[in-house]
Amino acid sequence: MKMKLKHTLTSIFYITSFALCAQSWQNVEDFTTVGGNVLYDNYNSTADFTFNSNNQPIVAYSRASDKQLTVLEFNGTSWSSLGDLSFLTTEISQVKIEIVMDGTIFLAYTDDNYQQLSIIKFDGTSWIYVAQNIAGNKALGIDLAKDTFDNIYIAYKDDLNEDKATLKKYDFITGNIFTVGNEGFTPTTVEDLKLAINPVTSEPFVVYNFNGRAHVYKFNGSTWNQVGSDFFSTYFDSNTNVTYDKSVIDTDIEFSSSGELLSCTCESLFFEFDRSGSYCYTFENNNWASTPIYGGNNYINMKSDGEGNIYYTSSKFNTTLGEYYGLYFGKYNNGNYENLTSIETGSHGNSFLQINFDNQNTPFVIYSRFLFASSHIRKFTSNLNINEFNQNNLSVFPNPTSSFLTIHNLNSPTNFSIYSISGKLVSSGEVSNNEKINLTSLTKGIYFLKLKKRNSIKIIKK
C-alpha cells in the first residue's frame, strides 16, 4: 500500500532538521474536488503521491467514476491536471508513483483486471511509455521504489509464476528493464507485498505475508535469500492460560537513510480486531525483535525521511463502536519509538493510506474514507525552534562546480562518500563545517554525495 528526500539542481541545496513540538495536522486543499473520488480497492493501492521540485504534492490515482488514471499537481492554492493522459485507453486499477533527482516522474499501473503492468514517465512536457505489459499477465499488489542512482524497481505478485513475487528493474543509464534474479523468486505465494531499497548498498528487499507470517527476502546481487525466519506476534489469554499465534494482515518495510532496516505489521487474533495491533520488528543478531506500537488496526504504511528517522502510520480501531475512526502516527530512530499526534478521520475506515515527505522532510499523509468516498491529504506541522532550525539548516554549494564543494551548517565533522552515476565510489573522507571537498580530479559528469544519516545529493562536475 506505500518518498524520500529529493533534491533539485539549484545552486544551493537545503536540508532541514527540526524538533517536532506543538504538533498538528493541517488540511491541504482536497484534490478530489478537481479530479473526482479515488477508486476503492480493499487489497491494492489505487492512489499514491510524491512532490515536485517546487515542493508541492503530485497525486496519482484511479478515478472512481470511470477508472481513468488521474494525475494532479498542487501549486500552493489549487490542483490542476499534470500532462495529457488521453492516450491511455484502458481502465486503471493499481497506481504507484516515484520521482527521480532530475525531476522525471515515473508511474506504474495495471488495468482494471490487474493486467498490462506498464510504466510511463513525465519529462516535464508529456507522458510517454517506458515499458508496456512487463508482467505478461496479472500483477497484484504492485510496489515501486528507486535506488540511490535513480534506478526504478517494481515488485508484484506474479500470476504467471504461481502468485509468487517478481521484481523488475528499470536501469536509469541504459533505459532497459530486466528481472532481478528469478521471476517468482519466493518459495510460496505472497500477500501484502512491499518493497524497499537499502540506501547504502542499493540492495532491494521485499516483505510479504504468507499463512499469517511475515517474510523478508534480500537480493545480494546474484540470488534472493531470506533474512532471518518468518515472524509474527503472540497473544496470552490470562483466562485460559493459553498463548495464541497472531496472524499478519498487513506488512511494510523501510530503511532509514543510514541503512537501518525496520518492518512493521498489523496483526490480529482470529480476526478479532479488539485483539489486533501494530508491531515493529528490528533485525538483531539474526532474529526479528518485536515491539508493539499500537492496538486495533488494519493498515500500515512506512516512510523514511533524510535524517535517520522512519515514520509509520496505521488505522485506529474503536473497540466499542467496532469501526475504524482515525490514523495513528509515530516515529522510529535508532531503537527509539515516539508516538506523535494522530489524525481523527471520522468513522468507517480507510480504503488506502500513504505517507510521504516533501523536500524539507515535512510528513504528509493521504487517505480515503471508503464508505463516504472522500479522499484527503494532510500535512504534519509543528512550531519550530528558530535557533535549532538555523543550526541544522544544511547547504551544499556551488552546484554545478568545476573544482570544490563547500558544506555549510554542519554541527560536527561528518563522513562523506562520493559515487559515480554507475555506483562506483570515487572519493570519501571526513568533512567539517565550511570545509571544501576537492573534486578537481573527477571527470565531468553527474555524481552523488552521501553524508552520514542523509539522503544522497546529486552534484554536477563541470
Side-chain angles (χ1 to χ4, degrees), residues 256-305:
S256 71
S257 57
S258 60
E260 185 175 8
L261 176 64
L262 187 70
S263 181
C264 285
T265 62
C266 290
E267 303 181 30
S268 70
L269 181 64
F270 312 129
F271 292 96
E272 299 175 14
F273 292 111
D274 59 332
R275 296 182 181 181
S276 67
S278 291
Y279 299 84
C280 281
Y281 292 84
T282 54
F283 193 60
E284 304 170 5
N285 300 318
N286 294 317
N287 291 301
W288 291 98
S290 170
T291 300
I293 49 175
Y294 298 121
N297 42 60
N298 195 29
Y299 292 101
I300 191 82
N301 189 242
M302 304 163 62
K303 280 292 180 183
S304 67
D305 64 10

Side-chain angles (χ1 to χ4, degrees), residues 48 59 66-67 92 154 212 248 272 316 319 351 359 361 405:
D48 200 3
V59 177
D66 56 9
K67 298 182 180 179
I92 304 299
I154 183 165
V248 174
E272 299 175 14
K316 299 171 68 174
T319 56
S351 62
N359 302 335
N361 280 343
L405 280 178

Side-chain angles (χ1 to χ4, degrees), residues 404-407 416 430-438:
F404 298 92
L405 280 178
T406 301
I407 302 179
F416 76 90
E430 186 178 80
V431 62
S432 299
N433 187 43
N434 292 328
E435 183 181 356
K436 293 181 179 179
I437 300 176
N438 190 341

Side-chain angles (χ1 to χ4, degrees), residues 192-221:
D192 311 310
L193 178 65
K194 302 300 189 311
L195 167 68
I197 309 296
N198 188 323
V200 177
T201 65
S202 289
E203 295 170 316
F205 284 63
V206 298
V207 65
Y208 66 92
N209 171 22
F210 172 71
N211 198 27
R213 308 289 187 263
H215 306 252
V216 174
Y217 274 75
K218 164 191 172 181
F219 187 70
N220 64 9

Side-chain angles (χ1 to χ4, degrees), residues 58-61 69-73 80-83 85 97 107 127:
I58 299 172
V59 177
Y61 65 97
L69 181 60
T70 304
V71 182
L72 303 175
E73 185 174 39
S80 60
S81 297
L82 182 65
L85 290 163
I97 192 169
L107 193 151
W127 291 97

Side-chain angles (χ1 to χ4, degrees), residues 87-387:
F87 67 95
L88 298 177
T89 58
T90 60
E91 295 181 337
I92 304 299
S93 56
Q94 303 168 101
V95 178
K96 299 298 291 186
I97 192 169
E98 187 66 270
I99 190 169
V100 298
M101 292 184 186
D102 67 359
T104 302
I105 302 167
F106 289 84
L107 193 151
Y109 67 88
T110 61
D111 67 18
D112 189 41
N113 293 315
Y114 309 112
Q115 300 189 47
Q116 300 293 321
L117 174 59
S118 301
I119 301 176
I120 57 177
K121 69 178 181 179
F122 187 71
D123 59 8
T125 303
S126 58
W127 291 97
I128 58 175
Y129 279 110
V130 171
Q132 294 179 261
N133 194 23
I134 62 177
N137 207 339
K138 286 187 177 180
L140 289 165
I142 64 174
D143 202 11
L144 201 66
K146 67 172 183 176
D147 65 17
T148 306
F149 310 107
D150 281 353
N151 301 305
I152 299 292
Y153 294 78
I154 183 165
Y156 58 94
K157 178 180 176 178
D158 191 347
D159 180 69
L160 286 180
N161 288 280
E162 302 175 331
D163 287 337
K164 298 177 181 179
T166 292
L167 182 66
K168 303 283 187 176
K169 175 183 177 181
Y170 168 76
D171 190 282
F172 182 78
I173 303 298
T174 65
N176 296 324
I177 291 183
F178 58 89
T179 303
V180 178
N182 298 323
E183 293 185 350
F185 62 83
T186 54
T188 62
T189 61
V190 300
E191 300 293 342
D192 311 310
L193 178 65
K194 302 300 189 311
L195 167 68
I197 309 296
N198 188 323
V200 177
T201 65
S202 289
E203 295 170 316
F205 284 63
V206 298
V207 65
Y208 66 92
N209 171 22
F210 172 71
N211 198 27
R213 308 289 187 263
H215 306 252
V216 174
Y217 274 75
K218 164 191 172 181
F219 187 70
N220 64 9
S222 58
T223 60
W224 286 94
N225 298 294
Q226 186 169 4
V227 179
S229 340
D230 52 299
F231 50 91
F232 59 95
S233 296
T234 58
Y235 173 80
F236 177 72
D237 190 330
S238 58
N239 295 321
T240 61
N241 290 325
V242 175
T243 298
Y244 297 97
D245 293 344
K246 287 193 171 185
S247 293
V248 174
I249 55 179
D250 195 22
T251 63
D252 208 348
I253 190 171
E254 188 58 290
F255 285 93
S256 71
S257 57
S258 60
E260 185 175 8
L261 176 64
L262 187 70
S263 181
C264 285
T265 62
C266 290
E267 303 181 30
S268 70
L269 181 64
F270 312 129
F271 292 96
E272 299 175 14
F273 292 111
D274 59 332
R275 296 182 181 181
S276 67
S278 291
Y279 299 84
C280 281
Y281 292 84
T282 54
F283 193 60
E284 304 170 5
N285 300 318
N286 294 317
N287 291 301
W288 291 98
S290 170
T291 300
I293 49 175
Y294 298 121
N297 42 60
N298 195 29
Y299 292 101
I300 191 82
N301 189 242
M302 304 163 62
K303 280 292 180 183
S304 67
D305 64 10
E307 300 173 347
N309 306 301
I310 300 176
Y311 291 77
Y312 43 82
T313 181
S314 63
S315 48
K316 299 171 68 174
F317 187 77
N318 187 314
T319 56
T320 302
L321 298 177
E323 60 187 20
Y324 294 97
Y325 68 99
L327 302 174
Y328 292 111
F329 187 66
K331 180 178 73 170
Y332 170 85
N333 183 285
N334 194 29
N336 297 313
Y337 298 88
E338 180 182 358
N339 291 335
L340 304 175
T341 299
S342 60
I343 305 175
E344 302 303 314
T345 64
S347 61
H348 300 293
N350 311 295
S351 62
F352 67 86
L353 174 60
Q354 300 286 344
I355 181 175
N356 219 328
F357 295 89
D358 68 10
N359 302 335
Q360 295 180 334
N361 280 343
T362 302
F364 285 67
V365 166
I366 60 172
Y367 63 92
S368 178
R369 297 171 62 200
F370 65 85
L371 291 186
F372 292 100
S374 58
S375 304
H376 304 271
I377 181 167
R378 298 268 186 105
K379 174 183 179 180
F380 187 75
T381 61
S382 63
N383 294 328
L384 301 184
N385 180 311
I386 299 300
N387 291 330

Side-chain angles (χ1 to χ4, degrees), residues 369-443:
R369 297 171 62 200
F370 65 85
L371 291 186
F372 292 100
S374 58
S375 304
H376 304 271
I377 181 167
R378 298 268 186 105
K379 174 183 179 180
F380 187 75
T381 61
S382 63
N383 294 328
L384 301 184
N385 180 311
I386 299 300
N387 291 330
E388 185 174 2
F389 177 87
N390 290 336
Q391 180 184 14
N392 289 289
N393 195 27
L394 187 73
S395 59
V396 180
F397 61 93
N399 191 29
T401 180
S402 59
S403 54
F404 298 92
L405 280 178
T406 301
I407 302 179
H408 181 57
N409 274 341
L410 277 175
N411 294 332
S412 60
T414 301
N415 291 329
F416 76 90
S417 301
I418 297 177
Y419 296 87
S420 69
I421 197 169
S422 64
K424 180 181 179 181
L425 178 66
V426 296
S427 180
S428 64
E430 186 178 80
V431 62
S432 299
N433 187 43
N434 292 328
E435 183 181 356
K436 293 181 179 179
I437 300 176
N438 190 341
L439 303 182
T440 55
S441 63
L442 301 183
T443 59

